[in-house]
Amino acid sequence: MLTKHAILRMNQRGINKYMIDLLLNYGEVEYHKGKEIYSLYQSSIKGLASELCIFSNSLSKLNRVYVVAKGSIIITVAYRKHRFKRNR
C-alpha cells in the first residue's frame, strides 16, 4: 500500500511502481528507526539483470533509489546521495 506522500514523491522523482516492486522483491533491507529501507547495490543489480534477462544499464537508475516502508505500507521513495548507516 502506498501513502499519499509516497505517491507524490514517486511523481516528483520519476520513480514508477515497477521500480518499487523490484526493490521490494530483490532489494537488500536495512533498518533505521523502526522502518525498513529497501535498496539495490551495483552488485545486486548485475545479478538481477541476469535473472530477468535484461541489460544491467537499464536498471542503473535503481542503484540510487530507495524505498522506506513500515510493514506493508510504503512511506516514501527517494534517491540516495550516500550510503546509509547500518541498523540504527
Side-chain angles (χ1 to χ4, degrees):
M1 180 178 146
L2 293 165
T3 62
K4 290 180 184 178
H5 179 75
I7 294 168
L8 176 66
R9 295 296 180 236
M10 285 172 58
N11 292 331
Q12 289 175 337
R13 296 174 176 149
I15 298 170
N16 59 39
K17 183 73 170 117
Y18 178 69
M19 294 167 71
I20 292 174
D21 289 340
L22 287 175
L23 287 166
L24 293 176
N25 291 321
Y26 297 100
E28 299 174 26
V29 64
E30 299 176 22
Y31 297 94
H32 184 75
K33 296 183 180 181
K35 312 284 188 304
E36 299 95 27
I37 300 173
Y38 294 88
S39 57
L40 280 171
Y41 297 112
Q42 193 61 39
S43 58
S44 303
I45 288 175
K46 290 178 184 175
L48 177 60
S50 64
E51 185 175 327
L52 297 176
C53 299
I54 56 177
F55 293 108
S56 61
N57 60 356
S58 62
L59 296 174
S60 63
K61 190 175 182 181
L62 281 176
N63 188 28
R64 299 177 325 155
V65 175
Y66 67 94
V67 173
V68 178
K70 182 159 185 154
S72 64
I73 300 172
I74 296 171
I75 298 169
T76 192
V77 296
Y79 288 101
R80 178 182 43 191
K81 294 181 181 178
H82 54 81
R83 297 274 183 212
F84 297 113
K85 295 179 181 177
R86 297 224 179 240
N87 298 324
R88 290 179 51 186

